[in-house]
Amino acid sequence: MKSNNSSTKGNRKLWIVIGIVVIIIVLFGFILHDRKTSLLKKADVKVEFGGYNDSGYMSYDRDKLAKAEMKIFTDKAKMSDYWTKELLKDPDELAEPENFDDSESMSSKDKDKMAKIYQWQKGTKINESSNGNLKNGQKVIIAIKTSDDKTNPLKSESKTYKVKGLKKVKNLNVSSFTKKLRLKVRGTNTHGYFDTVKANSSTPKVVSKHVEDTFKANHNGGLKNGDKVKTTERKIADDLNRYSDKYNFIGRKNAHVILTIDNLPTNKKNVKNLSSFIDELDELHHGDELVHVVFDQGKKSLSLIYNHGDGQYLTDNYSGVVLKEGKLKKSSSFTSYPQRRDNKDPYDDTSSSGKIYDISLK
């Protein structure tokens, strides 16, 4: 009898152990089924840094990250091999669910799975704490954030990377190249304008791209040889530092820089019928003195500039005018009513792809 009792007790213990093992296996299965996946580990994200200190940037394979994300989604949804391959071709171009109904080749089950993947993708955000103007020693973070959808297989996570390996920026005083600065001028004398300032012979080659903000002239567009363009070293430095990575330009606030307009060609024209042509236009100017006449061959326009008094000038611009054999003539596109504007300069503010002529009043 003792032998039978011992056997029975042994069997009970065995079944208890088996039961516990089964429960553990089932629980482990549930845990595995609901476990979130780390996208950063799955994609094996490798971050690199480039550029110069204080203006560095971060780079990594974003396409690889997007494909790893989509593969996690398709595996979780148990998407068919065909549609998995299609989705991995361009993971960022997943259509909205209402467009799935237009696909006759997609089964209703695949449409449901596709809708679920779309939901996961739209609920997942990949953010970078910073990816510009980086400096050595700075810390940047890549964060994966998911919505409240508990079925999303991705894990909300973040990883911190320390910026390193950025090249050292060199300091360069603006005073070292101010004497080499040259204005790039266009147009003609009394109708000149500048759009670039360069110091080609300096090291490095300096090009100012925001001359309108940095360099001030009385009337850019109506400049003549000898006119002065003014600025300061500080303004030049601020302008150049907008796009400079390798150099940090340094300029003194009150150190003035003055450049002179030169090399503008002079295009003078004598017009035989100037007085009669102007009289034919029959415009009243109440005694205003005609001080300047400009013919723009490219625009086929004639500008008459009058001194209106008190430092004001009035410009009448006629279009559809041609100059042939030394005479002004109206073309078929001539406008009898001029475009009129007030300005503070006796020179017409204009630029053209064609030639601009100053017409002599004598």
Side-chain angles (χ1 to χ4, degrees), residues 126-356:
I126 302 175
N127 299 313
E128 302 164 4
S129 61
S130 178
N131 193 15
N133 299 322
L134 301 179
K135 58 184 177 181
N136 288 324
Q138 182 179 346
K139 292 181 180 180
V140 293
I141 300 171
I142 297 179
I144 312 295
K145 295 183 179 180
T146 62
S147 63
D148 295 332
D149 182 3
K150 294 182 179 180
T151 66
N152 191 320
L154 290 183
K155 176 184 178 181
S156 290
E157 60 179 329
S158 65
K159 188 172 181 179
T160 302
Y161 303 86
K162 188 175 182 180
V163 180
K164 59 182 180 180
L166 299 180
K167 299 176 184 177
K168 185 178 180 180
V169 177
K170 297 179 181 179
N171 290 327
L172 185 64
N173 290 313
V174 172
S175 59
S176 67
F177 57 79
T178 51
K179 292 183 179 180
K180 299 178 182 179
L181 288 174
R182 295 293 181 272
L183 293 168
K184 184 176 181 181
V185 295
R186 302 176 186 272
T188 60
N189 193 26
T190 71
H191 301 292
Y193 65 98
F194 62 94
D195 57 9
T196 309
V197 177
K198 292 186 177 182
N200 289 334
S201 60
S202 68
T203 303
K205 290 184 178 180
V206 175
V207 179
S208 171
K209 297 182 179 180
H210 295 83
V211 293
E212 292 287 351
D213 298 329
T214 306
F215 295 85
K216 298 300 179 184
N218 288 333
H219 194 55
N220 195 16
L223 297 174
K224 57 185 181 298
N225 290 328
D227 282 346
K228 305 296 182 182
V229 178
K230 301 177 181 179
T231 189
T232 63
E233 288 184 7
R234 175 69 58 83
K235 288 183 178 180
I236 294 175
D238 290 343
D239 180 8
L240 297 176
N241 283 330
R242 295 187 196 184
Y243 297 99
S244 174
D245 293 329
K246 187 176 181 180
Y247 295 92
N248 174 45
F249 292 94
I250 301 171
R252 295 167 293 175
K253 183 178 181 180
N254 297 317
H256 296 282
V257 178
I258 300 176
L259 304 177
T260 303
I261 298 292
D262 58 10
N263 296 323
L264 285 172
T266 299
N267 290 329
K268 289 283 188 180
K269 280 286 184 181
N270 291 316
V271 177
K272 300 174 183 177
N273 66 333
L274 179 61
S275 296
S276 60
F277 190 83
I278 293 175
D279 290 341
E280 187 181 346
L281 298 177
D282 194 27
E283 290 295 326
L284 297 176
H285 294 283
H286 305 288
D288 292 343
E289 178 190 5
L290 179 62
V291 294
H292 200 191
V293 179
V294 183
F295 175 69
D296 188 327
Q297 181 173 282
K299 294 180 179 179
K300 294 182 179 180
S301 67
L302 181 73
S303 296
L304 307 178
I305 298 96
Y306 295 85
N307 186 348
H308 198 53
D310 296 327
Q312 295 292 320
Y313 294 86
L314 181 68
T315 299
D316 283 350
N317 187 68
Y318 296 88
S319 61
V321 180
V322 294
L323 180 62
K324 290 185 177 180
E325 299 176 352
K327 292 184 177 182
L328 293 169
K329 297 180 180 181
K330 299 176 182 178
S331 70
S332 58
S333 61
F334 177 77
T335 56
S336 57
Y337 296 99
Q339 292 181 342
R340 179 169 294 175
R341 69 175 182 272
D342 296 321
N343 56 309
K344 295 182 179 181
D345 198 284
Y347 301 108
D348 190 39
D349 184 5
T350 184
S351 61
S352 172
S353 57
K355 288 187 176 180
I356 301 173

